[in-house]
Amino acid sequence: MEGIVVKSLRGRDFLDTADFTREELTAMLSRAAELKSETLRGSRINTCLAGKSVALLFQKPSTRTRISFDVGVHQLGGHPIYLGWNELQLGRGETVTDTGRTFDCFVDGIVARVFRHSDLEEMARVADAPVVNALSDSSHPCQAMADCLTIIERKGRIEGINVAFVGDGNSNVCRSLAEIVLQMGGKMAIASPKAFMPPDEFVRSARRLSSGAASLELTEDPNDAVKEAGVVYTDVWVSMGQEAEAEARRSSMRPYQLNASLMATAPSDAIVMHCLPAHRGEEVTAEVIDGRNSVVWEQAENRLHAQKGIMSLLF
Ligand code: CP
Ligand code: NVA
């Protein structure tokens, strides 16, 4: 069975988890867990990308994603090439289409962080090499895969687990988390001000991805969202590219801060997650993100292992 799944993943793009079945996501997560234990046992170099090169294209800043892909490609035996958008001819107006075609002449995989999700789709259309979404304005599926790996490690499964997201309900991180939680049979609750709820069209399509016990609830009351949560998650209030709206966003989301008083409403064993970078004192207090329920550093490390799982099956 795994052989069939693995074969069908070779050459596929990874733009959103919604493009994959629950079985395929499980195969990538299992591979990630295997590679993680190999790495922790000390065998750091796996040769599945030997002789292969991977372009890492970034139009926005990045710390975790950039480092984890660079190190991940290296640990799989391949050659990572970091490419800043403005250092390429893209910055002088060459099209995404021609850039994608050029990448395809040289590399075996393309990892890209962009503003417009449609730029990833265009690159995937013209390049035979698989394209992996390293964050776009609308989604962050590699983060969601690492988050799933972390929840499985901490809670043993996703099926039936209550995941509460508090803050910007339409952030790329929240959208991808909601999709994967529903796909894997978890129960997602999003607490957000009305103006920052995910749009109805997204909610409808996310609900269609549901399997098993999955459910998706939207509420404006953060206490309601976290009261039965096994996982409490937040993301920044001002995402990259939204700087002009910063003040308005901060003032509407202030009641959604993840702080000790909100955590007192959650079960005592609820874990705290954040994709990082964090703004202590804004979406989360230092006390909570640096507190005993926080798993944010495991979550960050799992970016490496989750992405190795994805790349080893797709590239
Ligand atoms: N979580 C995440 O994607 O972090 P970076 O922006 O630092 O890559
Ligand atoms: N929503 C955030 C995530 C950063 C990893 C952003 O897009 O800036």
Side-chain angles (χ1 to χ4, degrees), residues 150-167:
T150 311
I151 296 171
I152 293 168
E153 285 172 351
R154 281 291 184 145
K155 300 282 172 187
R157 61 189 203 285
I158 308 274
E159 177 80 45
I161 298 289
N162 290 297
V163 179
F165 183 97
V166 180

Side-chain angles (χ1 to χ4, degrees), residues 70-140:
D70 192 317
V71 171
V73 172
H74 170 70
Q75 289 185 357
L76 293 174
H79 172 54
I81 311 165
Y82 176 80
L83 303 161
W85 187 278
N86 287 320
E87 290 153 29
L88 300 188
Q89 296 290 4
L90 267 170
R92 297 180 59 249
E94 187 168 19
T95 62
V96 166
T97 311
D98 287 356
T99 305
R101 287 190 174 125
T102 305
F103 282 179
D104 218 27
C105 299
F106 306 117
V107 301
D108 304 283
I110 302 167
V111 172
R113 169 169 286 197
V114 297
F115 286 96
R116 287 195 306 251
H117 192 80
S118 56
D119 284 343
L120 293 174
E121 292 168 339
E122 178 59 7
M123 216 166 265
R125 189 182 70 79
V126 297
D128 286 336
V131 176
V132 173
N133 177 0
L135 180 148
S136 71
D137 281 349
S138 59
S139 59
H140 198 1

Side-chain angles (χ1 to χ4, degrees), residues 143-152 154-155 158 163-166 173 177 230-235 258 263 270-276 283-284 288-289 293-300 302:
Q143 179 71 53
M145 290 289 281
D147 297 342
C148 253
L149 189 59
T150 311
I151 296 171
I152 293 168
R154 281 291 184 145
K155 300 282 172 187
I158 308 274
V163 179
F165 183 97
V166 180
V173 168
L177 182 70
V231 177
V232 183
Y233 200 123
T234 193
D235 179 15
L258 185 48
M263 284 307 290
I271 56 170
V272 169
M273 299 182 74
H274 190 308
C275 53
L276 305 177
E283 75 277 1
V284 65
V288 168
I289 198 166
N293 293 32
S294 172
V295 299
V296 299
W297 300 113
E298 292 166 41
Q299 207 186 333
N302 278 337

Side-chain angles (χ1 to χ4, degrees), residues 60 64-65 113 135-137 140 143 168 171-174 235-236 238-243 275-277 303:
K60 296 180 180 185
R64 281 142 290 270
T65 309
R113 169 169 286 197
L135 180 148
S136 71
D137 281 349
H140 198 1
Q143 179 71 53
D168 180 0
S171 84
N172 40 18
V173 168
C174 180
D235 179 15
V236 295
V238 184
S239 284
M240 292 177 279
Q242 297 173 336
E243 290 75 13
C275 53
L276 305 177
R303 295 294 305 280

